[in-house]
Amino acid sequence: MTHLLLVGAWPELAARLVGLPGRVTLLQLDGMPGGYDLAPYQRWAAGLRVARWDQPAEILETAAAVHRRDPLDVVAGYGEFALPAVAAISAQLGIRSVPGPADQRPGKSAQRELLAAGGCRPVRHRLCSDPAEVRAFAATGPIVLKPDLGNGSLGVFAVDRAEQAEEGWRWVHAAGLGAVLAEERLSGPEFSVETRSVAGRHEALMVTEKFTSGPPHFVEVGHLMPARGDVDELRTEALRALTALGHVDGPAHVELMLTDDGPKVVEVNRRLGGDRIWELLQLSTGVDVLRQVLLDALDPSTDPVGRAARAAAAIRFVHGDRELFADGLPAQPPDPIDALDGLIRWRWEPTTYHRRLGYVLTYGADPTEAAGIAEQVCKALPSHPPAGTVTG
C-alpha cells in the first residue's frame, strides 16, 4: 500500500484523506501564514507530524524520521508554502514528488526563459539590480514590476513611465521576495486554466475568468467559472506551457492574458489555484479536484476526469479602505441579505492581506447569473472602494 507524506494541508483538503486507497502521514507546517488550528487534523490522517514552516532543517528531519519508521513512497503538497518543503524532502529521501519533478528552477525570470524556449508566446522581461535598470526598461513602454519569487499579487507595481521607476523599485523591493523582475505590460482580459497532469499527460479541467483591481497593483478581486467566450486558445497555450516547463505530475494553475496577439502566459503555479478555485470547479462541473489530486499521488492514472460545466460559480472578494482598517480588523456586520437564490455563503474573514474583508460565493445557471448574484451581495456589505483602487 502506497505511503504518502502530505505537506501543509488545509481543512478541506485534509478531510479528503478519509477512505483513500493508501495510507497518508500528514506533515503540518506550524506557524505558516494563513495556517489553521492543528487539533482537528489528527482524525483525518493515519499519522500527524508537525514542524515549523520556516525551519527547513526541522522539516527535513521530521520527514526523515517518518521515512525511517515507515518508508515513504511519495511526498506531495498543493499550496504555495508547501512547495519548497516538498522539493527538499523528495531530493533528500529520493522519492517521487507531486508536483513533479521536484528539481524545477525557481523564479519567474527562469520560468520566462523556459516558456519562450518551449514555443510559448514570448514576453519581454529583465531582472533589474537597481532603479536605473528599471528606468531603462520602462523607456520602451508601460511595464509591470514584480518580485521574482512572489505570489498572490504581493509586491506588484505598474510603471507607466520611466519617472515612476524609483517608486516601483521601492514597492517591489519592500516585499522581500527575491529580485525585481520587469516585464512588458500585457493588455487584455485575464484568465487562468486549472490543469491536472499525470505521468506527463496534461488535462485542462477548466478555464477561469479573472477580475483584478487593475493598475497599479493588479490585486485579484474575483473569479468566474466557466469563463465566457471562446477559450480554446487559452487551453492550448496553458498545456504548451506545462510541457515547456517540464511539469510531469500534479495540478497547476496557469495564469494568462488574452492579448491582441493571442494568449500569453503571465505565470505558471505548480499547485492548485488559490482563492477557493477548487470549490468553483466542483460547483460548476462536479469534479472534486482535491480528492482527485490525492488519488493521483497514491495511484497514478492517465484517465481524464474533466467534465463540461453544468452550471456556473463565482467568488468575489470584498476589500476595505484604509479608514475601515484604521482601528484594526473591522467587526463583522449584520447579514447583508437574509435569503437569496444562488448565494452559497458569504464569509467575513478580515485580514491585512490587501485589506481583504471576506468573500461571497455564488452559483447560477450561467456565468453571468452567478457573477450578478455575487455583485448584488457585495453591494450590501460595508463600504469598500471600487475595483480599481482596492490597494491605493
Side-chain angles (χ1 to χ4, degrees), residues 131-143 145 159-169:
E133 292 188 353
V134 173
R135 192 177 301 110
F137 192 79
T140 59
I143 66 171
L145 300 179
V159 174
D160 293 311
R161 55 192 184 280
E163 292 76 14
Q164 295 176 298
E166 183 75 36
E167 181 185 4
W169 170 270

Side-chain angles (χ1 to χ4, degrees), residues 116-145:
C120 293
R121 290 178 173 86
V123 175
R124 192 170 57 87
H125 64 283
R126 177 180 180 178
L127 279 176
C128 299
S129 58
D130 55 42
E133 292 188 353
V134 173
R135 192 177 301 110
F137 192 79
T140 59
I143 66 171
V144 173
L145 300 179

